[in-house]
């Protein structure tokens, strides 16, 4: 591709999307071009690109030349977001609501919420800046997925991923965020400017859908005790009351609520006119799914914070949601054992550098129950577990295990910047683009997209039947990857092959 496409995201392209409706920020959501309008070319790295600083140093500094965008450093430097220093961008750990750094801010929150001991594991940071909040929660073993739209400051999410912090590009606009119900033990907004009470509390309803019963909602910044925002602050408190959230504390401009552990408590009468959704509504459906003005009722059995096992026990215990799949518990156990074996084989016999500083950001494109990610839990990596939108909605199981992920349809580009993953793994590559045996999109388009999001010198591991692997190997060479094909591990009976490729 041409050099100006260096940071191109096909579905978040301001040139296309600025023409769309501004209502509820529709124009800032995902809008993908049809395949025939997408140039079939490989995105080049910027001049002076270097292999990224490895984790954990990357949390504090990255190469300036990998994303030479100075706007945030200039505008937000005084708030401790980031600053330029020699060949690096340095991240002191600050944010707009915590200019003194994320660490003292997290310490302040931990007076009111259990940030240690494995009670809280999955968190969502909405409108996350450069994701210092999520980055510094990692040392408490809390895994935060951070998001922000493609923004006027240019590339907050690109910086977050370059630092090795889990993040993706999204906007809370007209649609549900691409997660199942009850995904997060903690939802955090620090000056995220989401109007929670607008449109009859629609955005608060979406936060409630995503927050696990017994989980915590933390909002810092406007409208919390904010000058000239008395009405908005009063409305926010009323909507939280309508949902029976327990007010834990208002500390300066920060409010913390705890969601009730039991079933939804909504009376039929309240000023927001909130009703329960009908029984046919699946609160875990969330791929291009319009926001609803009703509250999901879901069985909370075994899913509340406190009743779900603490981390790390929850990683290996089959959660209630495995019942989604026939003989779920047995399938879960078999999947867990299988991936432990496979990952050991990938490391030992195929030379995949998992467990070394070379690999930090990992994606599993067809994650099912998250078995691949679970087998990596002691490595210094994080895994974006993708559940293809047309497959069974098993992403809830992944979240119940204390892992993170997202729904996505692989016939479309992914919501991330170029060069953001060190390793991309996919078992059954043909199945993620086909529908009941019929191909919906081209394997070439899919692998060009994989190349876009893969870092130079990054690794791809693809597992499939020999015929599929043969086809994939041809395309892989065309996108200039170095390719080797291996037999599967000795215990495997399926006759699969494993392709390992490296991007030049």
């Amino acid at each position: 591709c041409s050099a100006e496409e260096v940071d191109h995201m096909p579905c978040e392209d301001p040139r296309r999307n600025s023409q769309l409706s501004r209502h509820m920020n529709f124009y800032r959501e995902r809008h993908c071009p049809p395949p025939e309008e997408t140039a079939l070319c490989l995105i080049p790295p910027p001049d002076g690109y270097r292999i990224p600083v490895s984790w954990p140093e990357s949390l504090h500094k990255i190469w300036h030349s990998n994303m030479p965008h100075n706007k945030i450093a200039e505008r937000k430097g005084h708030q401790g977001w980031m600053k330029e220093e020699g060949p690096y961008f340095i991240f002191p750990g600050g944010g707009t609501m915590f200019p003194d750094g994320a660490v003292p801010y997290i310490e302040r929150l931990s007076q009111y919420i259990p940030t240690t001991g494995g009670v809280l594991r999955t968190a969502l940071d909405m409108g996350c800046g450069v994701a210092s909040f999520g980055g510094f929660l990692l040392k408490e073993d809390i895994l935060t997925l951070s998001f922000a739209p493609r923004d006027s400051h240019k590339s907050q999410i690109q910086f977050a991923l370059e630092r090795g912090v889990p993040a993706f590009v999204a906007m809370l606009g007209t649609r549900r965020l691409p997660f199942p119900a009850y995904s997060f033990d903690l939802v955090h907004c620090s000056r995220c400017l989401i109007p929670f009470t607008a449109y009859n509390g629609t955005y608060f309803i979406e936060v409630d859908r995503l927050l696990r019963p017994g989980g915590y909602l933390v909002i810092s910044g406007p409208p919390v005790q904010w000058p000239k925002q008395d009405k908005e602050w009063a409305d926010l408190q009323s909507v939280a009351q309508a949902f029976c959230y327990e007010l834990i504390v208002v500390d300066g401009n920060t409010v913390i609520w705890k969601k009730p552990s039991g079933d939804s408590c909504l009376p039929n009468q309240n000023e927001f006119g909130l009703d329960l959704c009908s029984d046919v509504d699946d609160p875990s459906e969330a791929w291009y799914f319009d926001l609803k003005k009703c509250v999901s009722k879901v069985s909370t059995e075994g899913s509340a914070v406190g009743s779900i096992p603490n981390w790390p026990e929850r990683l290996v215990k089959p959660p209630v949601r495995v019942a989604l799949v026939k003989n779920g518990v047995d399938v879960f156990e078999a999947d867990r054992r299988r991936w432990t074996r496979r990952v050991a084989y990938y490391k030992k016999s195929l030379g995949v550098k998992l467990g070394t500083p070379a690999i930090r950001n990992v994606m599993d494109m067809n994650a099912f129950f998250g078995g691949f990610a679970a087998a990596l839990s002691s490595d210094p990596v994080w895994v974006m577990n993708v559940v293809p939108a047309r497959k069974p909605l098993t992403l809830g199981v992944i979240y119940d295990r204390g892992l993170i992920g997202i729904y996505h349809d692989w016939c479309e580009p992914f919501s991330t910047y170029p060069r953001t993953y060190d390793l991309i793994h996919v078992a059954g590559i043909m199945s993620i683009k086909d529908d009941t045996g019929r191909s919906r999109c081209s394997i070439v388009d899919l692998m060009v997209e994989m190349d876009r999001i893969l870092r130079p010198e990054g690794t791809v591991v693809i597992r499939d039947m020999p015929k599929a692997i043969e086809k994939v190997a041809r395309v892989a060479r065309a996108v200039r990857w170095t390719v080797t094909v291996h037999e599967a591990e000795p215990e495997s009976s399926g006759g699969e092959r494993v392709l390992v490729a490296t991007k030049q």
Side-chain angles (χ1 to χ4, degrees), residues 110-146:
S110 63
Q111 297 168 34
Y112 311 107
I113 60 177
T115 52
T116 55
V119 181
L120 304 180
R121 166 65 180 171
T122 54
L124 180 67
D125 190 12
M126 308 194 287
C128 58
V130 291
S132 287
F133 179 74
F136 286 97
L137 268 179
L138 284 164
K139 73 173 195 329
E140 308 295 356
D141 258 348
I142 293 176
L143 187 56
T144 306
L145 185 47
S146 302

Side-chain angles (χ1 to χ4, degrees), residues 95-99 101-102 104-113 115 125 133 186-192 196 216-227 233 236-237 246-258:
T96 304
M97 294 307 300
F98 41 93
Y105 175 73
I106 290 165
E107 276 168 9
R108 203 178 101 215
L109 297 182
S110 63
Q111 297 168 34
Y112 311 107
I113 60 177
T115 52
D125 190 12
F133 179 74
L186 168 67
V187 174
H188 175 257
C189 148
S190 162
R191 206 165 182 150
C192 65
F196 292 106
Y216 294 87
L217 171 61
V218 178
I219 300 175
S220 290
V224 183
Q225 302 208 74
W226 204 260
W233 173 222
L236 182 58
Q237 292 174 86
E246 176 196 349
L247 178 63
I248 302 291
V249 72
V250 179
D251 177 353
N253 300 117
T254 298
V255 62
I256 302 177
W257 277 293
K258 188 178 199 302

Side-chain angles (χ1 to χ4, degrees), residues 349-491:
S349 304
L350 307 191
V352 177
K353 296 187 188 117
L354 283 161
T356 76
I359 296 179
R360 170 64 186 163
N361 298 353
V362 177
M363 176 183 282
D364 186 356
M365 292 172 64
N366 187 15
F368 186 49
F369 280 165
F372 174 71
L376 299 176
S377 65
S378 56
D379 291 342
V381 302
W382 67 273
V383 181
M384 177 67 90
N385 290 287
V386 181
V387 171
R390 290 169 175 248
K391 294 210 166 201
L393 304 182
T394 51
L395 191 52
V397 172
I398 290 171
Y399 275 96
D400 290 347
R401 298 183 79 173
L403 303 169
I404 54 176
I406 192 173
Y407 295 124
H408 181 68
D409 179 347
W410 283 113
C411 285
E412 294 184 3
F414 192 79
S415 285
T416 192
Y417 283 86
R419 302 172 300 283
T420 42
Y421 286 89
D422 299 303
L423 182 138
I424 299 176
H425 168 265
V426 54
I429 190 166
M430 294 305 175
S431 76
I432 65 174
K433 65 174 197 64
D434 297 352
D435 216 0
T436 55
R438 201 172 48 81
S439 175
R440 291 187 304 120
C441 53
S442 134
I443 187 76
V444 178
D445 290 345
L446 176 60
M447 290 174 66
V448 165
E449 171 61 7
M450 289 165 73
D451 184 81
R452 183 183 73 86
I453 66 183
L454 187 65
R455 289 171 168 173
E457 293 193 11
T459 305
V460 177
V461 178
I462 301 175
R463 189 183 178 101
D464 214 319
M465 298 314 282
K467 208 166 160 188
I469 289 293
E470 223 171 280
K471 193 170 179 178
V472 165
R474 283 201 301 276
V475 181
R477 292 184 183 103
V479 294
R480 308 178 195 174
W481 298 347
T482 310
V483 179
T484 55
V485 176
H486 308 265
E487 301 287 322
E489 61 286 346
E491 302 87 348

Side-chain angles (χ1 to χ4, degrees), residues 308-319:
I308 185 169
N310 283 0
W311 175 262
E313 292 74 43
R314 65 170 85 167
L315 184 66
V316 295
K317 191 170 181 288

Side-chain angles (χ1 to χ4, degrees), residues 245-307:
Y245 278 36
E246 176 196 349
L247 178 63
I248 302 291
V249 72
V250 179
D251 177 353
N253 300 117
T254 298
V255 62
I256 302 177
W257 277 293
K258 188 178 199 302
K259 178 172 172 172
S261 294
D263 285 335
S264 170
C265 70
L266 276 186
N268 288 332
Q269 300 305 313
N270 57 57
E271 63 186 292
F272 292 93
L274 299 172
D275 285 320
L276 288 173
C277 299
S278 77
D279 290 338
V280 294
D281 172 69
D282 181 354
S284 286
E285 216 176 301
W287 181 245
Y288 287 116
F289 195 97
D290 286 346
L291 289 169
K292 292 212 156 184
K293 289 214 170 65
C294 58
V295 181
S296 307
K297 46 178 186 205
V298 196
S299 140
T300 55
E301 184 210 344
S303 67
V305 170
S307 67

